[in-house]
Amino acid sequence: MNKRATRDWQELDSQHYLHPFTDFRALAAEGSRIITRAEGVYLYDSEGRQILDGMSGLWCVNIGYGRNELADVAARQMRELPFYNSFFKSAHPPAIELSRQLAELTPPQFKRVFYTNSGSEANDTIVRMARRYWDLMDQPKRSVIISRINAYHGSTMAGASLGGMSAMHAQGGLPIPDIVHIEQPYWYENGIDVSPAEYGLRAARRLREKIEELGSERVAAFIGEPIQGAGGVIIPPDTYWPEIQRICREYGILLIADEVICGFGRTGRWFGCEHFGFEPDFMTIAKGLTSGYQPLGGVMVSDRVADVLIEKGGDFNHGFTWSGHPVACAVAIENLAIMRRERLVERVQEDIGPYLQRRWRELADHPLVGEVRGVGLIGALELVAHKGSKTLFRNRGDTGLICRDHCFANGLVMRATRDTMIIAPPLVITKEQVDELIEKARRCLDLTAADIGVG
Ligand SMILES: *Cc1c(COP(=O)(O)O)cnc(C)c1O
Protein backbone atom coordinates (compact mmCIF):
# COMPACT_ATOMS: atom_id res chain seq x y z
CA MET A 1 0.00 0.00 0.00
CA ASN A 2 1.32 3.47 -0.77
CA LYS A 3 2.76 5.43 2.13
CA ARG A 4 1.09 8.43 3.70
CA ALA A 5 1.69 10.27 6.93
CA THR A 6 -0.35 9.03 9.89
CA ARG A 7 -2.33 12.26 9.98
CA ASP A 8 -3.31 11.86 6.32
CA TRP A 9 -4.52 8.31 6.89
CA GLN A 10 -6.54 9.47 9.89
CA GLU A 11 -8.06 12.33 7.95
CA LEU A 12 -9.08 10.12 5.01
CA ASP A 13 -10.32 7.47 7.43
CA SER A 14 -12.64 9.85 9.23
CA GLN A 15 -13.95 11.24 5.92
CA HIS A 16 -14.76 8.00 4.16
CA TYR A 17 -14.70 4.95 6.40
CA LEU A 18 -17.54 4.01 8.75
CA HIS A 19 -16.04 1.57 11.25
CA PRO A 20 -17.92 -1.31 12.91
CA PHE A 21 -19.03 -0.86 16.53
CA THR A 22 -17.76 2.71 16.59
CA ASP A 23 -19.01 6.16 17.59
CA PHE A 24 -18.15 7.77 14.24
CA ARG A 25 -17.96 11.31 15.54
CA ALA A 26 -15.89 10.50 18.60
CA LEU A 27 -13.41 8.54 16.51
CA ALA A 28 -13.07 11.33 13.95
CA ALA A 29 -12.22 13.73 16.77
CA GLU A 30 -9.65 11.37 18.26
CA GLY A 31 -8.16 9.84 15.12
CA SER A 32 -7.84 6.11 14.60
CA ARG A 33 -4.76 4.01 15.24
CA ILE A 34 -3.35 2.96 11.87
CA ILE A 35 -1.94 -0.56 11.91
CA THR A 36 0.37 -1.13 8.97
CA ARG A 37 1.94 -4.53 9.49
CA ALA A 38 2.29 -7.44 11.89
CA GLU A 39 4.65 -10.28 12.69
CA GLY A 40 4.27 -13.12 15.18
CA VAL A 41 2.33 -11.70 18.14
CA TYR A 42 3.24 -8.07 17.40
CA LEU A 43 1.42 -5.31 15.54
CA TYR A 44 3.20 -2.24 14.18
CA ASP A 45 1.44 1.09 13.72
CA SER A 46 2.09 3.83 11.20
CA GLU A 47 4.46 5.50 13.66
CA GLY A 48 6.50 2.30 13.82
CA ARG A 49 5.41 1.48 17.40
CA GLN A 50 5.37 -2.18 18.39
CA ILE A 51 2.24 -3.45 20.14
CA LEU A 52 1.83 -6.90 21.71
CA ASP A 53 -1.50 -8.18 20.40
CA GLY A 54 -3.12 -9.74 23.45
CA MET A 55 -6.36 -10.28 21.47
CA SER A 56 -5.18 -12.18 18.36
CA GLY A 57 -6.72 -9.49 16.17
CA LEU A 58 -10.33 -10.22 17.10
CA TRP A 59 -9.89 -13.62 18.77
CA CYS A 60 -8.82 -15.12 15.48
CA VAL A 61 -5.11 -14.97 14.53
CA ASN A 62 -4.37 -18.23 16.35
CA ILE A 63 -1.20 -19.13 14.43
CA GLY A 64 0.18 -15.58 14.67
CA TYR A 65 0.91 -13.01 11.98
CA GLY A 66 3.32 -13.23 9.08
CA ARG A 67 2.92 -16.89 8.12
CA ASN A 68 4.13 -17.04 4.53
CA GLU A 69 2.76 -20.56 4.08
CA LEU A 70 -0.76 -19.12 4.06
CA ALA A 71 0.14 -16.35 1.64
CA ASP A 72 1.69 -18.89 -0.73
CA VAL A 73 -1.29 -21.20 -0.61
CA ALA A 74 -3.66 -18.28 -1.30
CA ALA A 75 -1.60 -17.10 -4.27
CA ARG A 76 -1.41 -20.61 -5.70
CA GLN A 77 -5.16 -21.13 -5.33
CA MET A 78 -5.92 -17.76 -6.92
CA ARG A 79 -3.88 -18.73 -9.95
CA GLU A 80 -5.43 -22.17 -10.26
CA LEU A 81 -9.08 -21.44 -9.47
CA PRO A 82 -9.82 -18.09 -7.82
CA PHE A 83 -13.55 -18.74 -7.64
CA TYR A 84 -16.29 -21.04 -8.51
CA ASN A 85 -19.62 -21.47 -6.76
CA SER A 86 -21.18 -24.59 -5.27
CA PHE A 87 -24.78 -23.75 -6.07
CA PHE A 88 -25.59 -25.71 -9.20
CA LYS A 89 -24.32 -29.23 -8.67
CA SER A 90 -20.70 -28.01 -8.69
CA ALA A 91 -17.87 -28.32 -6.21
CA HIS A 92 -14.11 -27.84 -6.11
CA PRO A 93 -11.27 -29.64 -4.35
CA PRO A 94 -10.46 -27.04 -1.63
CA ALA A 95 -14.02 -27.04 -0.23
CA ILE A 96 -14.33 -30.82 -0.45
CA GLU A 97 -10.96 -31.43 1.18
CA LEU A 98 -11.62 -28.95 4.00
CA SER A 99 -15.02 -30.57 4.63
CA ARG A 100 -13.37 -33.97 4.94
CA GLN A 101 -10.83 -32.60 7.38
CA LEU A 102 -13.43 -30.82 9.50
CA ALA A 103 -15.46 -34.03 9.71
CA GLU A 104 -12.36 -35.77 11.02
CA LEU A 105 -11.37 -33.01 13.43
CA THR A 106 -14.74 -32.27 15.02
CA PRO A 107 -16.56 -34.55 17.52
CA PRO A 108 -17.93 -37.79 16.07
CA GLN A 109 -21.54 -36.65 15.63
CA PHE A 110 -20.38 -34.24 12.88
CA LYS A 111 -19.75 -35.41 9.34
CA ARG A 112 -21.00 -32.40 7.40
CA VAL A 113 -20.39 -28.68 7.09
CA PHE A 114 -22.26 -25.76 5.48
CA TYR A 115 -19.99 -22.83 4.60
CA THR A 116 -20.57 -19.13 5.15
CA ASN A 117 -18.29 -16.09 5.17
CA SER A 118 -18.60 -15.29 8.84
CA GLY A 119 -19.78 -16.40 12.23
CA SER A 120 -22.85 -14.18 11.95
CA GLU A 121 -23.95 -15.81 8.72
CA ALA A 122 -23.31 -19.22 10.20
CA ASN A 123 -25.67 -18.44 13.07
CA ASP A 124 -28.30 -17.15 10.63
CA THR A 125 -27.91 -20.42 8.77
CA ILE A 126 -28.44 -22.39 11.97
CA VAL A 127 -31.66 -20.52 12.78
CA ARG A 128 -33.06 -21.46 9.40
CA MET A 129 -31.74 -25.00 9.51
CA ALA A 130 -33.01 -25.70 13.02
CA ARG A 131 -36.49 -24.44 12.16
CA ARG A 132 -36.42 -26.39 8.90
CA TYR A 133 -35.48 -29.51 10.85
CA TRP A 134 -38.52 -29.21 13.09
CA ASP A 135 -40.78 -28.55 10.09
CA LEU A 136 -39.54 -31.75 8.53
CA MET A 137 -40.08 -33.54 11.84
CA ASP A 138 -43.75 -32.44 11.70
CA GLN A 139 -43.33 -30.20 14.73
CA PRO A 140 -43.56 -26.79 13.00
CA LYS A 141 -44.52 -25.03 16.22
CA ARG A 142 -40.98 -25.52 17.49
CA SER A 143 -39.56 -22.19 16.36
CA VAL A 144 -38.25 -20.54 19.54
CA ILE A 145 -34.53 -20.37 20.10
CA ILE A 146 -33.34 -19.74 23.63
CA SER A 147 -30.10 -17.82 24.10
CA ARG A 148 -28.52 -15.89 26.94
CA ILE A 149 -28.19 -12.33 28.12
CA ASN A 150 -24.91 -10.76 27.00
CA ALA A 151 -24.24 -13.53 24.50
CA TYR A 152 -22.48 -12.53 21.28
CA HIS A 153 -23.52 -14.37 18.13
CA GLY A 154 -22.74 -11.77 15.48
CA SER A 155 -24.27 -8.70 13.86
CA THR A 156 -26.71 -9.85 11.19
CA MET A 157 -30.42 -9.64 12.05
CA ALA A 158 -30.55 -13.19 13.38
CA GLY A 159 -27.03 -13.10 14.84
CA ALA A 160 -27.65 -9.92 16.78
CA SER A 161 -31.05 -11.24 17.89
CA LEU A 162 -29.50 -14.44 19.20
CA GLY A 163 -26.94 -12.27 20.93
CA GLY A 164 -28.09 -10.86 24.24
CA MET A 165 -26.59 -7.38 24.07
CA SER A 166 -29.19 -4.77 24.96
CA ALA A 167 -27.30 -1.99 23.14
CA MET A 168 -27.53 -4.02 19.93
CA HIS A 169 -31.21 -4.87 20.41
CA ALA A 170 -31.93 -1.17 20.83
CA GLN A 171 -31.01 -0.48 17.20
CA GLY A 172 -32.90 -1.84 14.20
CA GLY A 173 -35.91 -3.48 15.83
CA LEU A 174 -34.33 -6.51 17.46
CA PRO A 175 -34.65 -9.22 18.51
CA ILE A 176 -36.57 -10.79 15.63
CA PRO A 177 -39.55 -12.93 16.72
CA ASP A 178 -39.14 -16.18 18.65
CA ILE A 179 -35.71 -15.55 20.11
CA VAL A 180 -35.60 -15.24 23.90
CA HIS A 181 -32.84 -14.90 26.49
CA ILE A 182 -32.08 -16.34 29.90
CA GLU A 183 -29.48 -15.50 32.56
CA GLN A 184 -25.82 -15.91 31.60
CA PRO A 185 -23.77 -18.20 33.86
CA TYR A 186 -21.84 -15.31 35.39
CA TRP A 187 -20.99 -16.42 38.89
CA TYR A 188 -19.12 -13.25 39.83
CA GLU A 189 -22.12 -11.06 39.13
CA ASN A 190 -25.10 -13.34 39.77
CA GLY A 191 -24.02 -16.15 42.00
CA ILE A 192 -21.43 -15.02 44.44
CA ASP A 193 -23.66 -15.98 47.41
CA VAL A 194 -23.28 -19.69 46.58
CA SER A 195 -20.45 -21.97 45.43
CA PRO A 196 -19.62 -21.92 41.71
CA ALA A 197 -20.77 -25.55 41.39
CA GLU A 198 -24.14 -24.78 42.93
CA TYR A 199 -24.48 -21.61 40.88
CA GLY A 200 -23.71 -23.52 37.65
CA LEU A 201 -26.73 -25.75 38.27
CA ARG A 202 -28.89 -22.79 39.22
CA ALA A 203 -27.96 -20.94 36.00
CA ALA A 204 -28.58 -24.05 33.86
CA ARG A 205 -32.01 -24.53 35.43
CA ARG A 206 -33.03 -21.12 34.09
CA LEU A 207 -33.28 -23.02 30.81
CA ARG A 208 -35.80 -25.45 32.25
CA GLU A 209 -37.84 -22.58 33.69
CA LYS A 210 -37.91 -20.85 30.30
CA ILE A 211 -38.89 -24.04 28.46
CA GLU A 212 -41.72 -24.65 30.94
CA GLU A 213 -42.86 -21.05 30.62
CA LEU A 214 -42.95 -21.20 26.81
CA GLY A 215 -44.17 -24.77 26.53
CA SER A 216 -41.63 -27.30 25.29
CA GLU A 217 -43.62 -27.91 22.11
CA ARG A 218 -42.56 -24.42 20.99
CA VAL A 219 -38.82 -24.67 21.64
CA ALA A 220 -36.48 -25.50 18.75
CA ALA A 221 -33.02 -25.02 20.23
CA PHE A 222 -30.71 -23.57 22.84
CA ILE A 223 -27.57 -21.70 21.76
CA GLY A 224 -24.52 -20.75 23.80
CA GLU A 225 -20.84 -19.99 23.50
CA PRO A 226 -18.99 -22.59 25.62
CA ILE A 227 -17.21 -19.56 27.13
CA GLN A 228 -18.90 -16.22 26.43
CA GLY A 229 -16.20 -14.17 24.75
CA ALA A 230 -17.28 -10.65 23.82
CA GLY A 231 -19.67 -10.67 26.79
CA GLY A 232 -16.65 -10.61 29.11
CA VAL A 233 -15.01 -14.05 29.05
CA ILE A 234 -17.72 -15.60 31.21
CA ILE A 235 -16.47 -19.08 32.10
CA PRO A 236 -19.33 -21.20 33.40
CA PRO A 237 -18.78 -23.50 36.39
CA ASP A 238 -18.10 -27.12 35.38
CA THR A 239 -21.59 -28.11 36.47
CA TYR A 240 -23.25 -25.83 33.90
CA TRP A 241 -22.90 -27.46 30.48
CA PRO A 242 -23.66 -31.06 31.52
CA GLU A 243 -26.88 -29.82 33.14
CA ILE A 244 -27.77 -27.76 30.04
CA GLN A 245 -27.26 -30.85 27.90
CA ARG A 246 -29.39 -32.98 30.22
CA ILE A 247 -32.25 -30.47 29.99
CA CYS A 248 -31.98 -30.21 26.19
CA ARG A 249 -32.14 -33.99 25.88
CA GLU A 250 -35.01 -34.27 28.31
CA TYR A 251 -37.12 -31.95 26.14
CA GLY A 252 -35.64 -33.12 22.83
CA ILE A 253 -34.44 -29.64 21.86
CA LEU A 254 -31.39 -29.00 19.71
CA LEU A 255 -28.19 -27.84 21.36
CA ILE A 256 -26.04 -25.31 19.50
CA ALA A 257 -22.45 -24.53 20.51
CA ASP A 258 -21.18 -21.26 19.05
CA GLU A 259 -17.51 -22.20 18.80
CA VAL A 260 -16.42 -19.10 16.90
CA ILE A 261 -14.01 -18.12 19.70
CA CYS A 262 -13.53 -21.38 21.63
CA GLY A 263 -12.99 -23.48 18.51
CA PHE A 264 -9.56 -24.23 17.07
CA GLY A 265 -7.55 -24.51 20.23
CA ARG A 266 -8.36 -21.52 22.42
CA THR A 267 -9.21 -23.65 25.50
CA GLY A 268 -6.51 -26.27 24.96
CA ARG A 269 -8.92 -28.61 23.16
CA TRP A 270 -9.89 -28.32 19.51
CA PHE A 271 -13.41 -27.24 20.54
CA GLY A 272 -14.87 -25.69 23.65
CA CYS A 273 -17.55 -28.37 23.94
CA GLU A 274 -14.78 -30.93 24.37
CA HIS A 275 -13.32 -28.89 27.21
CA PHE A 276 -16.68 -28.79 29.02
CA GLY A 277 -17.76 -32.29 27.99
CA PHE A 278 -20.97 -31.84 26.03
CA GLU A 279 -22.16 -32.92 22.58
CA PRO A 280 -23.90 -30.25 20.55
CA ASP A 281 -26.14 -30.83 17.51
CA PHE A 282 -24.72 -27.79 15.69
CA MET A 283 -21.40 -25.97 15.97
CA THR A 284 -20.78 -22.47 14.64
CA ILE A 285 -17.21 -22.03 13.40
CA ALA A 286 -15.34 -19.02 11.98
CA LYS A 287 -12.45 -16.86 13.29
CA GLY A 288 -9.70 -19.38 14.12
CA LEU A 289 -10.69 -21.61 11.19
CA THR A 290 -8.43 -19.52 8.93
CA SER A 291 -6.58 -17.68 11.73
CA GLY A 292 -8.14 -14.60 10.15
CA TYR A 293 -6.07 -14.80 6.96
CA GLN A 294 -9.27 -15.15 4.94
CA PRO A 295 -12.93 -14.63 5.86
CA LEU A 296 -14.59 -18.01 6.34
CA GLY A 297 -17.30 -19.40 8.59
CA GLY A 298 -19.35 -22.54 8.72
CA VAL A 299 -21.94 -24.66 10.44
CA MET A 300 -21.05 -28.16 11.55
CA VAL A 301 -24.29 -30.14 11.23
CA SER A 302 -24.69 -33.31 13.28
CA ASP A 303 -26.03 -36.51 11.79
CA ARG A 304 -29.24 -36.11 13.81
CA VAL A 305 -30.09 -33.00 11.77
CA ALA A 306 -28.28 -33.74 8.52
CA ASP A 307 -29.97 -37.12 8.08
CA VAL A 308 -33.41 -35.50 8.23
CA LEU A 309 -32.47 -32.64 5.91
CA ILE A 310 -31.04 -35.10 3.40
CA GLU A 311 -33.77 -37.76 3.64
CA LYS A 312 -36.82 -35.55 3.70
CA GLY A 313 -35.70 -32.00 3.00
CA GLY A 314 -35.58 -31.43 -0.73
CA ASP A 315 -34.06 -28.05 -1.59
CA PHE A 316 -32.56 -26.06 1.29
CA ASN A 317 -33.14 -22.56 -0.01
CA HIS A 318 -30.17 -20.83 1.52
CA GLY A 319 -26.56 -20.03 0.64
CA PHE A 320 -24.02 -17.36 -0.19
CA THR A 321 -22.08 -16.51 -3.33
CA TRP A 322 -18.89 -17.13 -1.37
CA SER A 323 -20.07 -20.31 0.41
CA GLY A 324 -16.98 -22.52 0.40
CA HIS A 325 -14.80 -19.95 -1.38
CA PRO A 326 -11.80 -21.86 -2.80
CA VAL A 327 -9.15 -19.41 -1.61
CA ALA A 328 -10.57 -19.25 1.92
CA CYS A 329 -10.87 -23.04 2.06
CA ALA A 330 -7.31 -23.55 0.80
CA VAL A 331 -6.04 -21.15 3.46
CA ALA A 332 -8.06 -22.95 6.15
CA ILE A 333 -6.55 -26.29 5.12
CA GLU A 334 -3.04 -24.88 5.46
CA ASN A 335 -3.91 -23.21 8.76
CA LEU A 336 -5.10 -26.55 10.17
CA ALA A 337 -1.97 -28.25 8.83
CA ILE A 338 0.20 -25.74 10.69
CA MET A 339 -1.81 -26.18 13.88
CA ARG A 340 -1.35 -29.94 13.70
CA ARG A 341 2.30 -29.81 12.64
CA GLU A 342 3.24 -27.42 15.44
CA ARG A 343 0.94 -29.17 17.93
CA LEU A 344 -0.52 -25.80 18.89
CA VAL A 345 -3.58 -27.20 20.63
CA GLU A 346 -1.50 -29.59 22.73
CA ARG A 347 0.83 -26.70 23.47
CA VAL A 348 -2.08 -24.68 24.88
CA GLN A 349 -3.22 -27.67 26.93
CA GLU A 350 0.10 -28.74 28.35
CA ASP A 351 2.56 -25.89 28.21
CA ILE A 352 1.79 -22.29 27.33
CA GLY A 353 -1.81 -22.39 28.63
CA PRO A 354 -0.86 -23.45 32.17
CA TYR A 355 2.02 -20.96 32.11
CA LEU A 356 -0.17 -18.05 31.06
CA GLN A 357 -2.84 -19.00 33.61
CA ARG A 358 -0.29 -19.13 36.44
CA ARG A 359 1.19 -15.77 35.58
CA TRP A 360 -2.23 -14.20 34.89
CA ARG A 361 -3.43 -15.23 38.35
CA GLU A 362 -0.55 -13.32 39.92
CA LEU A 363 -2.51 -10.18 39.03
CA ALA A 364 -5.11 -11.19 41.64
CA ASP A 365 -3.14 -9.28 44.29
CA HIS A 366 -3.65 -5.97 42.49
CA PRO A 367 -5.91 -3.52 44.38
CA LEU A 368 -8.15 -3.06 41.31
CA VAL A 369 -8.67 -6.75 40.61
CA GLY A 370 -11.67 -8.48 42.16
CA GLU A 371 -11.44 -11.75 40.26
CA VAL A 372 -9.03 -13.40 37.84
CA ARG A 373 -10.32 -16.14 35.58
CA GLY A 374 -9.15 -17.98 32.52
CA VAL A 375 -8.78 -21.26 30.64
CA GLY A 376 -6.13 -22.16 28.08
CA LEU A 377 -5.19 -18.94 26.31
CA ILE A 378 -8.20 -16.86 27.28
CA GLY A 379 -8.41 -14.76 30.41
CA ALA A 380 -10.24 -11.98 32.19
CA LEU A 381 -9.67 -9.58 35.07
CA GLU A 382 -12.70 -8.22 36.86
CA LEU A 383 -11.89 -4.66 37.94
CA VAL A 384 -13.67 -3.52 41.11
CA ALA A 385 -14.07 -0.35 43.13
CA HIS A 386 -13.56 -2.04 46.52
CA LYS A 387 -11.53 -5.19 46.44
CA GLY A 388 -12.57 -6.47 49.88
CA SER A 389 -16.30 -6.27 49.25
CA LYS A 390 -16.00 -6.98 45.50
CA THR A 391 -18.05 -3.87 44.77
CA LEU A 392 -18.46 -3.15 41.07
CA PHE A 393 -17.97 0.40 39.79
CA ARG A 394 -21.01 2.66 39.79
CA ASN A 395 -20.38 3.99 36.27
CA ARG A 396 -19.80 0.62 34.71
CA GLY A 397 -17.36 0.62 31.84
CA ASP A 398 -15.50 3.85 32.55
CA THR A 399 -12.60 2.19 34.36
CA GLY A 400 -12.27 -0.51 31.73
CA LEU A 401 -11.89 2.13 29.02
CA ILE A 402 -9.25 4.00 31.03
CA CYS A 403 -7.31 0.78 31.44
CA ARG A 404 -7.68 -0.12 27.77
CA ASP A 405 -6.29 3.24 26.68
CA HIS A 406 -3.31 2.85 29.01
CA CYS A 407 -2.67 -0.55 27.47
CA PHE A 408 -2.62 0.83 23.93
CA ALA A 409 -0.34 3.67 24.97
CA ASN A 410 2.01 1.15 26.58
CA GLY A 411 2.21 -1.28 23.69
CA LEU A 412 -0.39 -3.88 24.65
CA VAL A 413 -3.79 -4.75 23.19
CA MET A 414 -6.08 -5.78 26.02
CA ARG A 415 -9.81 -5.41 25.45
CA ALA A 416 -12.35 -3.98 27.89
CA THR A 417 -15.90 -5.33 28.23
CA ARG A 418 -17.46 -2.99 30.75
CA ASP A 419 -14.86 -3.18 33.57
CA THR A 420 -13.63 -6.62 32.64
CA MET A 421 -10.21 -6.70 30.98
CA ILE A 422 -9.79 -9.50 28.48
CA ILE A 423 -6.95 -11.30 26.74
CA ALA A 424 -6.84 -14.04 24.10
CA PRO A 425 -3.33 -13.98 22.61
CA PRO A 426 -2.15 -16.00 19.59
CA LEU A 427 -1.55 -19.68 20.39
CA VAL A 428 2.09 -19.28 19.33
CA ILE A 429 2.91 -16.77 22.09
CA THR A 430 6.16 -17.65 23.90
CA LYS A 431 6.78 -17.64 27.65
CA GLU A 432 8.92 -14.51 27.35
CA GLN A 433 6.06 -12.81 25.52
CA VAL A 434 3.64 -13.93 28.22
CA ASP A 435 5.97 -12.34 30.78
CA GLU A 436 5.93 -9.15 28.74
CA LEU A 437 2.14 -9.25 28.58
CA ILE A 438 1.80 -9.66 32.36
CA GLU A 439 4.32 -6.96 33.11
CA LYS A 440 2.58 -4.49 30.80
CA ALA A 441 -0.85 -5.43 32.15
CA ARG A 442 0.32 -4.78 35.72
CA ARG A 443 1.81 -1.43 34.78
CA CYS A 444 -1.44 -0.41 33.11
CA LEU A 445 -3.48 -1.52 36.13
CA ASP A 446 -1.22 0.70 38.27
CA LEU A 447 -1.74 3.66 35.94
CA THR A 448 -5.51 3.07 35.96
CA ALA A 449 -5.61 2.81 39.75
CA ALA A 450 -3.69 6.07 40.03
CA ASP A 451 -6.12 7.80 37.65
CA ILE A 452 -9.21 6.82 39.62
CA GLY A 453 -7.65 7.01 43.05
CA VAL A 454 -7.80 3.34 44.08
CA GLY A 455 -5.06 1.54 45.97
C1 LIG B 1 -17.17 -13.01 16.44
C2 LIG B 1 -18.27 -13.91 16.83
C3 LIG B 1 -19.36 -14.16 16.00
C4 LIG B 1 -19.56 -13.42 14.72
O1 LIG B 1 -18.62 -13.72 13.77
P1 LIG B 1 -18.40 -12.70 12.53
O2 LIG B 1 -17.42 -13.43 11.68
O3 LIG B 1 -17.90 -11.42 13.11
O4 LIG B 1 -19.72 -12.53 11.89
C5 LIG B 1 -20.29 -15.09 16.38
N1 LIG B 1 -20.17 -15.75 17.54
C6 LIG B 1 -19.14 -15.53 18.38
C7 LIG B 1 -19.04 -16.33 19.64
C8 LIG B 1 -18.17 -14.59 18.07
O5 LIG B 1 -17.19 -14.34 18.92
Side-chain angles (χ1 to χ4, degrees), residues 269-317:
R269 303 294 299 264
W270 277 96
F271 297 95
C273 59
E274 296 168 321
H275 174 83
F276 288 105
F278 67 100
E279 294 160 20
D281 299 298
F282 286 106
M283 289 199 317
T284 319
I285 56 175
K287 297 193 172 119
L289 172 57
T290 57
S291 282
Y293 282 65
Q294 282 284 293
L296 182 63
V299 178
M300 295 305 305
V301 184
S302 68
D303 293 341
R304 170 185 175 185
V305 175
D307 289 348
V308 173
L309 294 177
I310 293 164
E311 287 305 314
K312 309 199 212 171
D315 272 3
F316 182 52
N317 300 316

Side-chain angles (χ1 to χ4, degrees), residues 50-330:
Q50 188 189 55
I51 305 161
L52 174 56
D53 185 3
M55 281 305 299
S56 304
L58 262 179
W59 323 85
C60 54
V61 187
N62 289 3
I63 63 167
Y65 298 94
R67 305 295 297 242
N68 289 330
E69 305 96 307
L70 269 57
D72 294 344
V73 158
R76 216 179 304 138
Q77 186 60 46
M78 283 188 196
R79 291 198 181 95
E80 194 169 311
L81 179 71
F83 176 69
Y84 198 69
N85 71 69
S86 322
F87 278 40
F88 310 115
K89 301 186 184 173
S90 302
H92 45 66
I96 299 169
E97 175 58 22
L98 179 61
S99 307
R100 183 192 73 77
Q101 291 194 15
L102 287 170
E104 195 177 281
L105 193 64
T106 52
Q109 68 271 30
F110 297 110
K111 284 206 287 289
R112 293 184 176 83
V113 57
F114 188 101
Y115 292 111
T116 66
N117 309 290
S118 68
S120 303
E121 290 173 356
N123 283 325
D124 278 49
T125 301
I126 290 175
V127 169
R128 298 196 63 199
M129 231 184 229
R131 289 176 177 166
R132 177 80 185 134
Y133 167 82
W134 286 116
D135 281 348
L136 294 169
M137 295 290 286
D138 294 323
Q139 299 183 52
K141 278 201 304 199
R142 285 206 192 239
S143 64
V144 177
I145 298 171
I146 301 176
S147 179
R148 302 175 302 175
I149 291 162
N150 236 358
Y152 189 75
H153 297 298
S155 271
T156 49
M157 294 296 274
S161 297
L162 291 170
M165 308 245 170
S166 52
M168 291 179 74
H169 290 174
Q171 300 176 350
L174 303 181
I176 57 173
D178 284 355
I179 292 178
V180 300
H181 301 82
I182 59 173
E183 181 174 320
Q184 58 180 343
Y186 190 1
W187 174 76
Y188 195 77
E189 185 163 284
N190 301 328
I192 210 154
D193 52 319
V194 295
S195 72
E198 199 175 328
Y199 175 69
L201 294 176
R202 188 166 93 194
R205 286 172 189 151
R206 301 282 185 241
L207 175 59
R208 178 192 302 283
E209 291 162 19
K210 185 55 82 177
I211 295 169
E212 291 291 341
E213 177 195 319
L214 294 161
S216 62
E217 73 287 353
R218 291 191 52 213
V219 180
F222 173 78
I223 184 169
E225 304 149 80
I227 294 171
Q228 279 177 292
V233 181
I234 311 300
I235 303 172
D238 288 340
T239 48
Y240 181 76
W241 277 112
E243 183 67 8
I244 288 283
Q245 170 160 289
R246 223 177 49 71
I247 295 166
C248 286
R249 288 193 174 158
E250 184 183 329
Y251 291 96
I253 72 180
L254 297 166
L255 177 53
I256 307 162
D258 183 336
E259 295 273 1
V260 171
I261 286 177
C262 292
F264 305 99
R266 182 60 55 197
T267 66
R269 303 294 299 264
W270 277 96
F271 297 95
C273 59
E274 296 168 321
H275 174 83
F276 288 105
F278 67 100
E279 294 160 20
D281 299 298
F282 286 106
M283 289 199 317
T284 319
I285 56 175
K287 297 193 172 119
L289 172 57
T290 57
S291 282
Y293 282 65
Q294 282 284 293
L296 182 63
V299 178
M300 295 305 305
V301 184
S302 68
D303 293 341
R304 170 185 175 185
V305 175
D307 289 348
V308 173
L309 294 177
I310 293 164
E311 287 305 314
K312 309 199 212 171
D315 272 3
F316 182 52
N317 300 316
H318 180 82
F320 305 96
T321 302
W322 308 143
S323 282
H325 193 286
V327 178
C329 290

